[in-house]
Structure formats: structure tokens, C-alpha cells
Amino acid sequence: MVDNSSQLTRLFSNLLWLCPTRALPIPLEFDQESQEHVLSRLQTVWTTQPPTRSYLTHLLKALSKHSADNGYELSEEWYSLLGLASHDAEHTFRTLWLNDDMTVHLRESTALTSHGTTGLRTWGAAVQLTKHLLHHPDIVAGKDVLELGCGTALVSAAMLQLTSPPARAVVTDYHPDVLAMARYNLEHNSQLQSHNQAASEVDNSSSKLWQLEPLDWRATLSSSLESVFDVVLAADVVFDPELLPDLIDVLHRTLRPSVSSRAIVATTRRNPDTFARWEELLLQH
């Protein structure tokens, strides 16, 4: 096998996250042994958490073109992946492979907007916030943490896998379908984590430290959410200018009044006017 292990790991992680096939980092020297290495790792995950047939079809087309352009033989085993394809056209699985100790499996919608919400898909800011917590685990270690607008629950599912997880995690959203998806993903990852811990004889009860609650930012908070959190996290919630004052308000109402309390909001700059309004509100508070 050509010594391109870092390239193979990058390709593997891109495939698990279902990155666009036209932009996959396929090595130029993709020999049979390298292909088998990636294939075996993919099959381990996709046997139980498969992508759609559409994605696999596009992948095979991209690999076929790449092999023809670069003069190597494509393994026939790639075509066996079609047998793993999900038969659910409305949902797919994406896996965020962060390292050998942290992998988050997510079920999400195949459509950008579904049931009147974008919350059934995982967006870029959630990925970046997750990676930030991975590199700075002290932010949440042993803390009471609230997540606003959890969506598919990537951030919380990853946070609960940290070596030093939060003391308590309350995961919230408003849309009932989003909450149902988040519950599935949190329970699914908790079960996988418990299974892996049992196999390695590691005792860690972090998977039991979360609760899921509906939260309307404009409504009166329950006493269980008022001024009790050390850390409030949110990703991809800065998109509707009408909701920004309510977001600022709920941050104030849920954070514990302490100099050590903090809110971390990860966002993608999509609309310059909306982002400018967000910055203006932050400066006012």
C-alpha cells in the first residue's frame, strides 16, 4: 500500500460525512490495498448507518472517472456498497469522525428544508462548534450546559462523549419534529457509547446526563432553566432578524449570574444585514 495514510483518513472522514462527491480528496495513487483499507472501514459504519442510494451512485461515478483519469484499477468491491444503501428516501445517516475516540452518528433529513424547518439537517456552524469543544473540553467539563436550537443534536451528542463531560446537559429546540430527531440521535449515540464502554470495560455514565426539552425563546422560562447554566451553546441560530432580540434575552435569562458563565454562539455569515444586527445587539448588552 502506498504510504498515504493521512490522505486515506481524510477521504474516509469525508465519505462518512457525505461530502459532495465532486470534491472528495481521492489520492492520485489509489492502489488496491489503499482502496480495501477505506472500503473495510466504510462497510463497518455503513452496514448499520447507510447513506442513500443516490449518494452511493454519485460516489461510484466519481470514483470511476477518477480511476480512468489517473490510470488505476477501481476495485469491484466499491459496487457492493450499493447493497448497503438506505431505502428511506427522506432520511440518511451522516457520521462525523473526529478521532478514534469520538464519532458522532446522525440521522437527518435528505432535504434542506423539511416539515417547515431547516433544523432536520446539520449545518456547518454546528460542526465547527463541535470541533471547538473537542479542542477546548474545559469549556464544558463538569459544568451545567444548555444548548439552544439543537437541531440534529450534533453538538450535544459529541459533548457527551468527551473524557470530562458536562455535569448536566439540557438540550432544547422548538419544533416538535426537530426534537424527535434530536432524541433519536442522542439516544442512538448514547447506546453506542455505552456499548463501546462495556466492550472496553470503561465506566463512564456521561451518556445519562442529558435531558431534552422544548423551548420557545419568547415564552416564560420554567424554573429549571432560569439562571442556572454555566455555559450556553448555540449553532446556526442567527438567521432570522426578528428572533435575535429573543435570542439575546434567553441568553441573559438562562446564564448563571457569574463572571465565569459564558455563551458561545457559532454562526455562518449568510446575510450581512442579519449579522450586522446581531453584532449591534451584542454591543448593546
mmCIF file of all heavy atoms in Angstrom, residues 110-157:
data_model
loop_
_atom_site.group_PDB
_atom_site.id
_atom_site.type_symbol
_atom_site.label_atom_id
_atom_site.label_comp_id
_atom_site.label_asym_id
_atom_site.label_seq_id
_atom_site.Cartn_x
_atom_site.Cartn_y
_atom_site.Cartn_z
ATOM 1 N N THR A 110 -32.925 14.297 4.191
ATOM 2 C CA THR A 110 -32.178 14.460 2.944
ATOM 3 C C THR A 110 -32.485 15.801 2.290
ATOM 4 O O THR A 110 -31.763 16.233 1.387
ATOM 5 C CB THR A 110 -32.512 13.332 1.955
ATOM 6 O OG1 THR A 110 -33.937 13.293 1.765
ATOM 7 C CG2 THR A 110 -32.040 11.992 2.482
ATOM 8 N N ALA A 111 -33.548 16.470 2.726
ATOM 9 C CA ALA A 111 -33.938 17.763 2.157
ATOM 10 C C ALA A 111 -33.402 18.898 3.021
ATOM 11 O O ALA A 111 -33.328 18.778 4.250
ATOM 12 C CB ALA A 111 -35.450 17.863 2.058
ATOM 13 N N LEU A 112 -33.038 20.003 2.391
ATOM 14 C CA LEU A 112 -32.535 21.150 3.137
ATOM 15 C C LEU A 112 -33.612 21.716 4.051
ATOM 16 O O LEU A 112 -33.331 22.151 5.169
ATOM 17 C CB LEU A 112 -32.037 22.241 2.178
ATOM 18 C CG LEU A 112 -30.831 21.866 1.304
ATOM 19 C CD1 LEU A 112 -30.458 23.029 0.396
ATOM 20 C CD2 LEU A 112 -29.641 21.456 2.165
ATOM 21 N N THR A 113 -34.837 21.720 3.565
ATOM 22 C CA THR A 113 -35.979 22.165 4.368
ATOM 23 C C THR A 113 -37.019 21.059 4.380
ATOM 24 O O THR A 113 -37.391 20.530 3.333
ATOM 25 C CB THR A 113 -36.605 23.447 3.784
ATOM 26 O OG1 THR A 113 -35.602 24.468 3.717
ATOM 27 C CG2 THR A 113 -37.749 23.931 4.661
ATOM 28 N N SER A 114 -37.462 20.695 5.568
ATOM 29 C CA SER A 114 -38.434 19.616 5.705
ATOM 30 C C SER A 114 -39.361 19.920 6.863
ATOM 31 O O SER A 114 -38.922 20.425 7.904
ATOM 32 C CB SER A 114 -37.701 18.285 5.937
ATOM 33 O OG SER A 114 -38.604 17.219 6.095
ATOM 34 N N HIS A 115 -40.651 19.666 6.695
ATOM 35 C CA HIS A 115 -41.654 19.918 7.742
ATOM 36 C C HIS A 115 -41.617 21.380 8.198
ATOM 37 O O HIS A 115 -41.812 21.684 9.377
ATOM 38 C CB HIS A 115 -41.437 18.986 8.934
ATOM 39 C CG HIS A 115 -41.599 17.534 8.595
ATOM 40 N ND1 HIS A 115 -42.802 16.871 8.659
ATOM 41 C CD2 HIS A 115 -40.691 16.611 8.159
ATOM 42 C CE1 HIS A 115 -42.637 15.606 8.293
ATOM 43 N NE2 HIS A 115 -41.375 15.434 7.968
ATOM 44 N N GLY A 116 -41.286 22.264 7.268
ATOM 45 C CA GLY A 116 -41.294 23.687 7.579
ATOM 46 C C GLY A 116 -40.120 24.174 8.389
ATOM 47 O O GLY A 116 -40.181 25.263 8.985
ATOM 48 N N THR A 117 -39.030 23.422 8.425
ATOM 49 C CA THR A 117 -37.878 23.823 9.213
ATOM 50 C C THR A 117 -36.580 23.363 8.548
ATOM 51 O O THR A 117 -36.567 22.390 7.794
ATOM 52 C CB THR A 117 -37.949 23.236 10.644
ATOM 53 O OG1 THR A 117 -36.775 23.610 11.377
ATOM 54 C CG2 THR A 117 -38.056 21.720 10.611
ATOM 55 N N THR A 118 -35.507 24.087 8.841
ATOM 56 C CA THR A 118 -34.174 23.666 8.398
ATOM 57 C C THR A 118 -33.455 22.881 9.496
ATOM 58 O O THR A 118 -32.316 22.463 9.315
ATOM 59 C CB THR A 118 -33.314 24.888 8.021
ATOM 60 O OG1 THR A 118 -33.225 25.766 9.166
ATOM 61 C CG2 THR A 118 -33.922 25.650 6.855
ATOM 62 N N GLY A 119 -34.127 22.672 10.614
ATOM 63 C CA GLY A 119 -33.492 22.052 11.769
ATOM 64 C C GLY A 119 -33.279 20.555 11.672
ATOM 65 O O GLY A 119 -32.670 19.957 12.557
ATOM 66 N N LEU A 120 -33.786 19.934 10.596
ATOM 67 C CA LEU A 120 -33.617 18.489 10.447
ATOM 68 C C LEU A 120 -32.367 18.138 9.645
ATOM 69 O O LEU A 120 -32.157 16.983 9.297
ATOM 70 C CB LEU A 120 -34.867 17.883 9.780
ATOM 71 C CG LEU A 120 -36.154 18.032 10.598
ATOM 72 C CD1 LEU A 120 -37.366 17.604 9.782
ATOM 73 C CD2 LEU A 120 -36.063 17.212 11.885
ATOM 74 N N ARG A 121 -31.553 19.161 9.358
ATOM 75 C CA ARG A 121 -30.259 18.956 8.720
ATOM 76 C C ARG A 121 -29.176 19.509 9.623
ATOM 77 O O ARG A 121 -29.409 20.404 10.435
ATOM 78 C CB ARG A 121 -30.190 19.683 7.361
ATOM 79 C CG ARG A 121 -30.939 18.992 6.247
ATOM 80 C CD ARG A 121 -30.204 17.744 5.773
ATOM 81 N NE ARG A 121 -28.984 18.062 5.057
ATOM 82 C CZ ARG A 121 -28.864 18.097 3.728
ATOM 83 N NH1 ARG A 121 -29.925 17.847 2.979
ATOM 84 N NH2 ARG A 121 -27.718 18.368 3.162
ATOM 85 N N THR A 122 -27.957 18.999 9.486
ATOM 86 C CA THR A 122 -26.816 19.503 10.250
ATOM 87 C C THR A 122 -26.085 20.531 9.404
ATOM 88 O O THR A 122 -25.768 20.278 8.242
ATOM 89 C CB THR A 122 -25.857 18.358 10.612
ATOM 90 O OG1 THR A 122 -26.597 17.307 11.240
ATOM 91 C CG2 THR A 122 -24.777 18.845 11.559
ATOM 92 N N TRP A 123 -25.786 21.691 10.009
ATOM 93 C CA TRP A 123 -25.181 22.794 9.277
ATOM 94 C C TRP A 123 -23.752 23.054 9.757
ATOM 95 O O TRP A 123 -23.328 22.588 10.819
ATOM 96 C CB TRP A 123 -26.045 24.039 9.402
ATOM 97 C CG TRP A 123 -27.425 23.805 8.850
ATOM 98 C CD1 TRP A 123 -28.510 23.367 9.537
ATOM 99 C CD2 TRP A 123 -27.838 23.923 7.485
ATOM 100 N NE1 TRP A 123 -29.596 23.222 8.694
ATOM 101 C CE2 TRP A 123 -29.210 23.552 7.436
ATOM 102 C CE3 TRP A 123 -27.206 24.314 6.309
ATOM 103 C CZ2 TRP A 123 -29.945 23.564 6.248
ATOM 104 C CZ3 TRP A 123 -27.934 24.332 5.128
ATOM 105 C CH2 TRP A 123 -29.286 23.966 5.107
ATOM 106 N N GLY A 124 -23.040 23.813 8.963
ATOM 107 C CA GLY A 124 -21.596 23.970 9.162
ATOM 108 C C GLY A 124 -21.178 24.525 10.506
ATOM 109 O O GLY A 124 -20.163 24.100 11.074
ATOM 110 N N ALA A 125 -21.922 25.482 11.038
ATOM 111 C CA ALA A 125 -21.516 26.081 12.310
ATOM 112 C C ALA A 125 -21.565 25.071 13.453
ATOM 113 O O ALA A 125 -20.769 25.147 14.397
ATOM 114 C CB ALA A 125 -22.402 27.290 12.626
ATOM 115 N N ALA A 126 -22.487 24.125 13.377
ATOM 116 C CA ALA A 126 -22.555 23.081 14.408
ATOM 117 C C ALA A 126 -21.313 22.207 14.371
ATOM 118 O O ALA A 126 -20.794 21.787 15.418
ATOM 119 C CB ALA A 126 -23.814 22.231 14.210
ATOM 120 N N VAL A 127 -20.820 21.927 13.168
ATOM 121 C CA VAL A 127 -19.588 21.140 13.042
ATOM 122 C C VAL A 127 -18.418 21.900 13.650
ATOM 123 O O VAL A 127 -17.599 21.338 14.390
ATOM 124 C CB VAL A 127 -19.309 20.808 11.563
ATOM 125 C CG1 VAL A 127 -17.977 20.076 11.419
ATOM 126 C CG2 VAL A 127 -20.438 19.971 10.976
ATOM 127 N N GLN A 128 -18.321 23.188 13.356
ATOM 128 C CA GLN A 128 -17.211 23.986 13.874
ATOM 129 C C GLN A 128 -17.282 24.130 15.390
ATOM 130 O O GLN A 128 -16.247 24.090 16.071
ATOM 131 C CB GLN A 128 -17.199 25.366 13.199
ATOM 132 C CG GLN A 128 -16.924 25.330 11.708
ATOM 133 C CD GLN A 128 -15.662 24.551 11.360
ATOM 134 O OE1 GLN A 128 -14.607 24.741 11.982
ATOM 135 N NE2 GLN A 128 -15.761 23.669 10.378
ATOM 136 N N LEU A 129 -18.469 24.298 15.937
ATOM 137 C CA LEU A 129 -18.607 24.390 17.395
ATOM 138 C C LEU A 129 -18.216 23.061 18.049
ATOM 139 O O LEU A 129 -17.563 23.036 19.099
ATOM 140 C CB LEU A 129 -20.039 24.773 17.774
ATOM 141 C CG LEU A 129 -20.347 24.898 19.269
ATOM 142 C CD1 LEU A 129 -19.368 25.831 19.962
ATOM 143 C CD2 LEU A 129 -21.784 25.374 19.484
ATOM 144 N N THR A 130 -18.607 21.968 17.434
ATOM 145 C CA THR A 130 -18.233 20.648 17.944
ATOM 146 C C THR A 130 -16.718 20.490 17.987
ATOM 147 O O THR A 130 -16.150 20.025 18.989
ATOM 148 C CB THR A 130 -18.852 19.550 17.056
ATOM 149 O OG1 THR A 130 -20.277 19.648 17.122
ATOM 150 C CG2 THR A 130 -18.419 18.165 17.516
ATOM 151 N N LYS A 131 -16.048 20.872 16.920
ATOM 152 C CA LYS A 131 -14.582 20.769 16.871
ATOM 153 C C LYS A 131 -13.932 21.698 17.895
ATOM 154 O O LYS A 131 -12.910 21.354 18.495
ATOM 155 C CB LYS A 131 -14.089 21.084 15.459
ATOM 156 C CG LYS A 131 -14.476 20.018 14.433
ATOM 157 C CD LYS A 131 -13.979 20.367 13.047
ATOM 158 C CE LYS A 131 -14.324 19.266 12.044
ATOM 159 N NZ LYS A 131 -13.873 19.594 10.668
ATOM 160 N N HIS A 132 -14.550 22.862 18.119
ATOM 161 C CA HIS A 132 -14.017 23.789 19.121
ATOM 162 C C HIS A 132 -14.074 23.167 20.515
ATOM 163 O O HIS A 132 -13.110 23.266 21.295
ATOM 164 C CB HIS A 132 -14.821 25.088 19.087
ATOM 165 C CG HIS A 132 -14.329 26.134 20.035
ATOM 166 N ND1 HIS A 132 -13.139 26.818 19.858
ATOM 167 C CD2 HIS A 132 -14.866 26.607 21.202
ATOM 168 C CE1 HIS A 132 -12.961 27.664 20.856
ATOM 169 N NE2 HIS A 132 -13.984 27.553 21.682
ATOM 170 N N LEU A 133 -15.178 22.504 20.830
ATOM 171 C CA LEU A 133 -15.293 21.848 22.136
ATOM 172 C C LEU A 133 -14.324 20.682 22.263
ATOM 173 O O LEU A 133 -13.808 20.412 23.357
ATOM 174 C CB LEU A 133 -16.730 21.364 22.344
ATOM 175 C CG LEU A 133 -17.806 22.445 22.438
ATOM 176 C CD1 LEU A 133 -19.179 21.806 22.605
ATOM 177 C CD2 LEU A 133 -17.527 23.408 23.581
ATOM 178 N N LEU A 134 -14.077 20.004 21.178
ATOM 179 C CA LEU A 134 -13.118 18.898 21.201
ATOM 180 C C LEU A 134 -11.723 19.403 21.559
ATOM 181 O O LEU A 134 -10.988 18.762 22.316
ATOM 182 C CB LEU A 134 -13.100 18.201 19.840
ATOM 183 C CG LEU A 134 -12.093 17.053 19.663
ATOM 184 C CD1 LEU A 134 -12.415 15.903 20.611
ATOM 185 C CD2 LEU A 134 -12.099 16.568 18.219
ATOM 186 N N HIS A 135 -11.365 20.572 21.036
ATOM 187 C CA HIS A 135 -10.040 21.139 21.296
ATOM 188 C C HIS A 135 -9.977 21.917 22.605
ATOM 189 O O HIS A 135 -8.885 22.166 23.129
ATOM 190 C CB HIS A 135 -9.619 22.042 20.137
ATOM 191 C CG HIS A 135 -9.373 21.311 18.851
ATOM 192 N ND1 HIS A 135 -8.381 20.356 18.702
ATOM 193 C CD2 HIS A 135 -9.999 21.369 17.657
ATOM 194 C CE1 HIS A 135 -8.398 19.872 17.477
ATOM 195 N NE2 HIS A 135 -9.374 20.464 16.830
ATOM 196 N N HIS A 136 -11.140 22.289 23.146
ATOM 197 C CA HIS A 136 -11.189 23.042 24.405
ATOM 198 C C HIS A 136 -12.235 22.411 25.330
ATOM 199 O O HIS A 136 -13.237 23.054 25.687
ATOM 200 C CB HIS A 136 -11.527 24.506 24.130
ATOM 201 C CG HIS A 136 -10.586 25.182 23.190
ATOM 202 N ND1 HIS A 136 -9.353 25.671 23.572
ATOM 203 C CD2 HIS A 136 -10.683 25.420 21.848
ATOM 204 C CE1 HIS A 136 -8.739 26.208 22.532
ATOM 205 N NE2 HIS A 136 -9.514 26.056 21.475
ATOM 206 N N PRO A 137 -12.022 21.167 25.740
ATOM 207 C CA PRO A 137 -13.038 20.453 26.532
ATOM 208 C C PRO A 137 -13.295 21.066 27.897
ATOM 209 O O PRO A 137 -14.340 20.813 28.510
ATOM 210 C CB PRO A 137 -12.453 19.040 26.663
ATOM 211 C CG PRO A 137 -10.969 19.225 26.487
ATOM 212 C CD PRO A 137 -10.815 20.347 25.515
ATOM 213 N N ASP A 138 -12.365 21.890 28.392
ATOM 214 C CA ASP A 138 -12.547 22.521 29.697
ATOM 215 C C ASP A 138 -13.739 23.474 29.713
ATOM 216 O O ASP A 138 -14.255 23.814 30.785
ATOM 217 C CB ASP A 138 -11.281 23.290 30.089
ATOM 218 C CG ASP A 138 -10.887 24.322 29.037
ATOM 219 O OD1 ASP A 138 -10.589 23.914 27.900
ATOM 220 O OD2 ASP A 138 -10.890 25.531 29.352
ATOM 221 N N ILE A 139 -14.181 23.904 28.532
ATOM 222 C CA ILE A 139 -15.327 24.820 28.458
ATOM 223 C C ILE A 139 -16.559 24.202 29.116
ATOM 224 O O ILE A 139 -17.320 24.897 29.802
ATOM 225 C CB ILE A 139 -15.632 25.176 26.985
ATOM 226 C CG1 ILE A 139 -14.512 26.048 26.411
ATOM 227 C CG2 ILE A 139 -16.980 25.891 26.861
ATOM 228 C CD1 ILE A 139 -14.667 26.323 24.915
ATOM 229 N N VAL A 140 -16.768 22.912 28.924
ATOM 230 C CA VAL A 140 -17.982 22.261 29.425
ATOM 231 C C VAL A 140 -17.720 21.242 30.529
ATOM 232 O O VAL A 140 -18.663 20.757 31.158
ATOM 233 C CB VAL A 140 -18.747 21.569 28.271
ATOM 234 C CG1 VAL A 140 -19.207 22.595 27.246
ATOM 235 C CG2 VAL A 140 -17.891 20.490 27.609
ATOM 236 N N ALA A 141 -16.478 20.885 30.776
ATOM 237 C CA ALA A 141 -16.163 19.829 31.747
ATOM 238 C C ALA A 141 -16.733 20.137 33.129
ATOM 239 O O ALA A 141 -16.416 21.173 33.723
ATOM 240 C CB ALA A 141 -14.647 19.645 31.836
ATOM 241 N N GLY A 142 -17.614 19.265 33.609
ATOM 242 C CA GLY A 142 -18.186 19.413 34.935
ATOM 243 C C GLY A 142 -19.161 20.561 35.086
ATOM 244 O O GLY A 142 -19.573 20.892 36.201
ATOM 245 N N LYS A 143 -19.572 21.179 33.981
ATOM 246 C CA LYS A 143 -20.448 22.349 34.036
ATOM 247 C C LYS A 143 -21.907 21.966 33.758
ATOM 248 O O LYS A 143 -22.198 20.895 33.214
ATOM 249 C CB LYS A 143 -20.007 23.374 32.978
ATOM 250 C CG LYS A 143 -18.539 23.753 33.008
ATOM 251 C CD LYS A 143 -18.208 24.638 34.164
ATOM 252 C CE LYS A 143 -16.728 25.000 34.199
ATOM 253 N NZ LYS A 143 -16.204 25.571 32.951
ATOM 254 N N ASP A 144 -22.803 22.881 34.126
ATOM 255 C CA ASP A 144 -24.205 22.776 33.715
ATOM 256 C C ASP A 144 -24.330 23.497 32.383
ATOM 257 O O ASP A 144 -24.079 24.713 32.301
ATOM 258 C CB ASP A 144 -25.124 23.415 34.750
ATOM 259 C CG ASP A 144 -25.201 22.593 36.028
ATOM 260 O OD1 ASP A 144 -25.064 21.361 35.943
ATOM 261 O OD2 ASP A 144 -25.404 23.182 37.101
ATOM 262 N N VAL A 145 -24.711 22.757 31.345
ATOM 263 C CA VAL A 145 -24.673 23.289 29.977
ATOM 264 C C VAL A 145 -26.058 23.227 29.338
ATOM 265 O O VAL A 145 -26.773 22.225 29.461
ATOM 266 C CB VAL A 145 -23.666 22.496 29.104
ATOM 267 C CG1 VAL A 145 -23.634 23.056 27.682
ATOM 268 C CG2 VAL A 145 -22.276 22.527 29.733
ATOM 269 N N LEU A 146 -26.419 24.308 28.650
ATOM 270 C CA LEU A 146 -27.662 24.388 27.898
ATOM 271 C C LEU A 146 -27.327 24.554 26.422
ATOM 272 O O LEU A 146 -26.474 25.373 26.067
ATOM 273 C CB LEU A 146 -28.494 25.585 28.371
ATOM 274 C CG LEU A 146 -29.728 25.956 27.541
ATOM 275 C CD1 LEU A 146 -30.823 24.904 27.683
ATOM 276 C CD2 LEU A 146 -30.263 27.338 27.964
ATOM 277 N N GLU A 147 -27.989 23.775 25.563
ATOM 278 C CA GLU A 147 -27.864 24.010 24.132
ATOM 279 C C GLU A 147 -29.187 24.554 23.597
ATOM 280 O O GLU A 147 -30.245 23.963 23.809
ATOM 281 C CB GLU A 147 -27.479 22.758 23.351
ATOM 282 C CG GLU A 147 -27.261 23.102 21.868
ATOM 283 C CD GLU A 147 -26.893 21.934 20.966
ATOM 284 O OE1 GLU A 147 -26.879 20.776 21.439
ATOM 285 O OE2 GLU A 147 -26.642 22.185 19.778
ATOM 286 N N LEU A 148 -29.105 25.670 22.885
ATOM 287 C CA LEU A 148 -30.268 26.280 22.251
ATOM 288 C C LEU A 148 -30.312 25.880 20.782
ATOM 289 O O LEU A 148 -29.282 25.803 20.115
ATOM 290 C CB LEU A 148 -30.188 27.806 22.345
ATOM 291 C CG LEU A 148 -30.139 28.426 23.744
ATOM 292 C CD1 LEU A 148 -29.915 29.932 23.641
ATOM 293 C CD2 LEU A 148 -31.423 28.137 24.517
ATOM 294 N N GLY A 149 -31.512 25.642 20.259
ATOM 295 C CA GLY A 149 -31.652 25.333 18.839
ATOM 296 C C GLY A 149 -30.790 24.159 18.418
ATOM 297 O O GLY A 149 -30.005 24.249 17.478
ATOM 298 N N CYS A 150 -30.967 23.034 19.076
ATOM 299 C CA CYS A 150 -30.038 21.907 18.931
ATOM 300 C C CYS A 150 -30.063 21.264 17.552
ATOM 301 O O CYS A 150 -29.087 20.627 17.147
ATOM 302 C CB CYS A 150 -30.314 20.852 19.995
ATOM 303 S SG CYS A 150 -31.915 20.014 19.803
ATOM 304 N N GLY A 151 -31.172 21.393 16.809
ATOM 305 C CA GLY A 151 -31.229 20.738 15.502
ATOM 306 C C GLY A 151 -31.068 19.236 15.629
ATOM 307 O O GLY A 151 -31.755 18.583 16.413
ATOM 308 N N THR A 152 -30.124 18.673 14.895
ATOM 309 C CA THR A 152 -29.908 17.219 14.930
ATOM 310 C C THR A 152 -29.133 16.759 16.160
ATOM 311 O O THR A 152 -28.869 15.573 16.308
ATOM 312 C CB THR A 152 -29.169 16.754 13.667
ATOM 313 O OG1 THR A 152 -27.883 17.411 13.606
ATOM 314 C CG2 THR A 152 -29.966 17.069 12.411
ATOM 315 N N ALA A 153 -28.752 17.700 17.020
ATOM 316 C CA ALA A 153 -28.086 17.413 18.304
ATOM 317 C C ALA A 153 -26.632 16.983 18.151
ATOM 318 O O ALA A 153 -26.085 16.309 19.021
ATOM 319 C CB ALA A 153 -28.857 16.376 19.113
ATOM 320 N N LEU A 154 -25.982 17.388 17.067
ATOM 321 C CA LEU A 154 -24.566 17.058 16.894
ATOM 322 C C LEU A 154 -23.726 17.553 18.058
ATOM 323 O O LEU A 154 -22.932 16.795 18.634
ATOM 324 C CB LEU A 154 -24.043 17.659 15.584
ATOM 325 C CG LEU A 154 -22.513 17.662 15.418
ATOM 326 C CD1 LEU A 154 -21.970 16.248 15.406
ATOM 327 C CD2 LEU A 154 -22.110 18.415 14.159
ATOM 328 N N VAL A 155 -23.872 18.832 18.410
ATOM 329 C CA VAL A 155 -23.015 19.435 19.430
ATOM 330 C C VAL A 155 -23.141 18.692 20.756
ATOM 331 O O VAL A 155 -22.138 18.313 21.383
ATOM 332 C CB VAL A 155 -23.345 20.930 19.601
ATOM 333 C CG1 VAL A 155 -22.552 21.527 20.772
ATOM 334 C CG2 VAL A 155 -23.044 21.699 18.315
ATOM 335 N N SER A 156 -24.366 18.453 21.193
ATOM 336 C CA SER A 156 -24.563 17.778 22.479
ATOM 337 C C SER A 156 -24.138 16.314 22.436
ATOM 338 O O SER A 156 -23.565 15.792 23.395
ATOM 339 C CB SER A 156 -26.028 17.894 22.914
ATOM 340 O OG SER A 156 -26.323 19.217 23.329
ATOM 341 N N ALA A 157 -24.419 15.632 21.337
ATOM 342 C CA ALA A 157 -24.018 14.221 21.217
ATOM 343 C C ALA A 157 -22.511 14.076 21.296
ATOM 344 O O ALA A 157 -21.997 13.128 21.913
ATOM 345 C CB ALA A 157 -24.542 13.642 19.908
#
